């Protein structure tokens, strides 16, 4: 792949929707783990038939596969992780995004500190499988109310640093970052941990350029800090996907320089 310094931009979408994004100049697409890679038995055919290569997958865990709380099904979790990572490796997917807000959220009557320990245990527990399949996990901070755990870049970085494993890294998402009014300084000092980036506008979570929103401060921190990995647009598509695609790639390449 080319580095982000040379413009490596992807799009989160279904394999069948990739043609319009390939025509616009995107470099890869990002599928879902829970709803495509693990739920679709024809995942190989769908990915192979896409107009772009699939290098990243998000939505690691389905919402009903809880990793926090009193009733954790460790056997089901282990079987699911094995299936997800083996299929990812088979399809050439190098990074899996660990957002999965519903799976990691704690119930109102369950201590947040205990839930944080369970999330740590989960991530530490899958590192042998990450090594075995050559896949990197990117921990994604999510804004409230999308999750009540790991809501800032700093919190995500703390988890990554505690795990201290080369295949456990960090993601920063511009939509969640600005929605939480996260500190730009946290993005600066987290740069060495970053594996992946998501971008979308605020407040409507559209493709870059589809509503007024200034991405320059966020992207310039990455560019000036030497970030050289992938950047995916993760947005709500409009009825005009061609316009979405052309708007996003033009804006991103212009800012990235």
């Amino acid at each position: 792949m080319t580095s982000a310094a040379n413009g490596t931009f992807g799009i989160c979408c279904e394999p069948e929707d990739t043609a319009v994004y390939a025509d616009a100049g995107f470099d890869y697409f990002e599928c879902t783990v829970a709803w495509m890679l693990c739920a679709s038995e024809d995942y190989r055919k769908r990915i192979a038939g896409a107009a772009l290569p699939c290098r990243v997958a998000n939505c690691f865990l389905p919402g009903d596969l809880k990793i926090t709380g009193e009733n954790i099904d460790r056997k089901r979790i282990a079987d699911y992780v094995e299936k997800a990572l083996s299929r990812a490796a088979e399809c050439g997917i190098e990074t899996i995004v660990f957002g999965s807000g519903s799976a990691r959220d704690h119930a109102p009557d369950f201590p947040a500190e205990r839930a944080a320990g369970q999330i740590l245990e989960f991530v530490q527990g899958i590192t042998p499988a990450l090594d075995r399949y050559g896949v990197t996990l990117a921990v994604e901070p999510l804004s409230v109310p999308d999750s009540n755990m790991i809501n800032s870049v700093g919190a995500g970085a703390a988890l990554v640093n505690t795990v201290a494993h080369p295949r456990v890294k960090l993601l920063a998402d511009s939509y969640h970052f600005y929605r939480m009014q996260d500190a730009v300084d946290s993005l600066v000092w987290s740069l060495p941990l970053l594996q992946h980036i998501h971008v979308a506008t605020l407040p409507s979570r559209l493709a870059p350029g589809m509503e007024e929103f200034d991405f320059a401060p966020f992207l310039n921190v990455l560019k000036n800090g030497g970030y050289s990995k992938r950047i995916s647009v993760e947005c709500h598509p409009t009825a005009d996907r061609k316009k979405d695609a052309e708007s996003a790639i033009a804006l991103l390449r212009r800012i990235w320089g």
Side-chain angles (χ1 to χ4, degrees), residues 214-239:
D214 186 7
F215 285 95
F218 183 87
L219 291 175
N220 283 336
V221 168
L222 302 174
K223 182 174 68 171
N224 295 336
Y227 180 79
S228 60
K229 296 177 183 176
R230 297 184 177 98
I231 298 173
S232 290
V233 174
E234 185 186 36
C235 68
H236 300 310
T238 69

Side-chain angles (χ1 to χ4, degrees), residues 16-39:
E16 296 76 16
D17 295 329
T18 52
V20 66
Y21 300 112
D23 288 345
F26 280 88
D27 302 296
Y28 66 93
F29 83 102
E30 183 171 332
C31 74
T32 63
V33 180
W35 305 312
M36 204 286 285
L37 199 61
C38 283

